[in-house]
Structures are given as structure tokens and as C-alpha cells.
Amino acid sequence: MDRRLILNANVYSTTIKNFQAQVSDLTSATYSSRITNAGEIKTKGVEANLMARPMAGLSITAGLAYTHARYADFNGVQCYFGQPKIAQGGPCSAPPANPNSLDGFFNAKGLSIAGVPDWVYGVSAVYDRPLTPDLRGFVQANWNWQSDVNYAISGDPGAIQKAYGLLGGRVGVSAPDKAWSLALYASNLLDKRYAAQITPSPVTGLNPGGYAQYFSPDSVRRVGVSLDVAF
């Protein structure tokens, strides 16, 4: 198409042995974490990206990734609060002190790798044109989305961040050679709240079955002015 379209794609499959993972330790009254050996993980998927110039001044970029990331062998993962024990038809190996106790361990084989969403995609469009011989104007919009993600190795349903998308954009002016640019920008324009991490309650003895969520500055709407200079 007269070099107005570029499409790249790849398919991959990877196996990693003796993967080092950080796990929650709920055996004490206060929350702690430690590094342990996950044995083996397997990831496979598809990635693709697109760059297009459908008309003068308009550029579009897009990316898509599907990642099937699973633990192939991860023995000794601690059960989450309320997870069924073997006597209840669940995977936990230790007999429960009570149905909601924190004791018990299991093999996380087949569960999703913590913090990895199955689907991610993003698209960005930029349109710029000359306003005067010494000034160019531009407008940009971008959208990024990801599917559900579980932050717990154990697959704890309380540690799931639901799918979300973020909208952002910029509008401004620049020098013809882009030596400088001045723009009004907005990130997370829809003010979407999302957790960057979810963990069991730091004080499990006082709040058994509770969780703590951690939010980043990107999880709130931000509007500002940016000045970029190249030298």
C-alpha cells in the first residue's frame, strides 16, 4: 500500500525452569512475603502491532497481545483464606483447623501467573498539520485496555483486578522540525480506578480474609501542560 501500512506479528512458546517467585506468607499474625522456587512456568501467545498512515498528517499505531502464562509446576503454595481443603473436595493438603483457616498448601499447576493478563491491546492516533510556516498543530488520542488480572499466585478470587481501559490524549503546537512542543494533556481521562497490587490483609490475625489494595498515580485522572524541548 505504497508503504502506508506496516504489520508485524509473532507467535511464541517459552518454558522457564526454576522460576523465582514472591509469595505471601500467612502463617504468622502479620503479613510477610518471601522468595521461593516456582519449579517451572510456561508461556505462549501471539503479539501483533500495526502502523498506518491512511492520509497525510494522520498516523495510527495499534498493538495486541494474547499471553497464556501458567505455572507448570509450583508445589508448596499456601492456600488462600477460605480455600476448600481436600476433605471438602479442594486442593489444600492440610486438614483444616476450621473451614476458613489459613493452613494448607497445594500445587498451583495450571493457574495463571500472578500479575499477567491474558489480553492487552492499545491504539493511538495522531493528526498534525501546519498552521503557519513556523508552527504546526497536533491532536493525539490513545486507548489502552487489559483483561482481568489476578495478583495472587494461589488464584485467590479476592485478589482479582477486573478488566479496565484508560483513555488519554494531547492537543498542542510544535515547531516544524519538532525541536519543541507545547501541549495540554490528559491521562486516565475517564478517571478509572484500578489497583496496581492486591494482597492479603497486612494483619491477618485482626482482619482474616481481608485485603489491601495499592493504587498508583495513574489510577486517577490527571490533566496538565507539558513543554518538550529537543537539543
Side-chain angles (χ1 to χ4, degrees):
M1 300 180 67
D2 196 23
R3 298 188 178 184
R4 291 184 297 166
L5 180 67
I6 299 175
L7 175 64
N8 298 307
N10 68 78
V11 179
Y12 66 90
S13 178
T14 305
T15 299
I16 301 176
K17 296 182 181 295
N18 299 314
F19 180 76
Q20 301 299 290
Q22 181 172 289
V23 296
S24 301
D25 189 344
L26 305 176
T27 57
S28 63
T30 59
Y31 171 83
S32 63
S33 61
R34 56 185 171 82
I35 300 296
T36 189
N37 194 316
E40 182 176 297
I41 65 173
K42 292 184 177 182
T43 65
K44 57 185 177 181
V46 179
E47 296 177 342
N49 63 75
L50 172 75
M51 292 168 281
R53 290 182 176 271
M55 58 181 288
L58 178 61
S59 299
I60 299 173
T61 59
L64 171 70
Y66 169 71
T67 306
H68 185 85
R70 302 292 186 268
Y71 297 107
D73 181 28
F74 194 173
N75 206 10
V77 174
Q78 190 165 28
C79 301
Y80 58 81
F81 184 83
Q83 186 174 8
K85 308 302 187 289
I86 289 179
Q88 303 165 315
C92 288
S93 58
N98 62 69
N100 291 325
S101 64
L102 295 173
D103 61 344
F105 297 86
F106 73 107
N107 193 318
K109 178 180 179 180
L111 293 182
S112 299
I113 295 177
V116 180
D118 286 347
W119 289 95
V120 174
Y121 76 83
V123 60
S124 176
V126 182
Y127 179 71
D128 72 283
R129 56 169 296 169
L131 301 177
T132 70
D134 299 318
L135 197 64
R136 296 186 69 87
F138 64 88
V139 59
Q140 175 187 3
N142 56 74
W143 170 259
N144 295 283
W145 181 90
Q146 72 168 45
S147 60
D148 295 357
V149 60
N150 195 317
Y151 289 117
I153 290 174
S154 62
D156 186 347
I160 295 176
Q161 167 58 57
K162 294 295 186 180
Y164 63 90
L166 301 177
L167 176 66
R170 300 172 72 231
V171 58
V173 294
S174 69
D177 59 358
K178 298 185 179 180
W180 63 267
S181 66
L182 178 66
L184 174 67
Y185 72 88
S187 62
N188 195 357
L189 193 57
L190 302 179
D191 204 27
K192 175 63 180 180
R193 298 292 194 274
Y194 67 93
Q197 184 62 260
I198 302 175
T199 65
S201 172
V203 186
T204 56
L206 296 178
N207 187 20
Y211 299 88
Q213 299 185 82
Y214 301 88
F215 294 86
S216 76
D218 295 330
S219 64
V220 294
R221 182 189 298 117
R222 184 185 305 170
V223 178
V225 178
S226 65
L227 174 63
D228 299 300
V229 179
F231 57 89

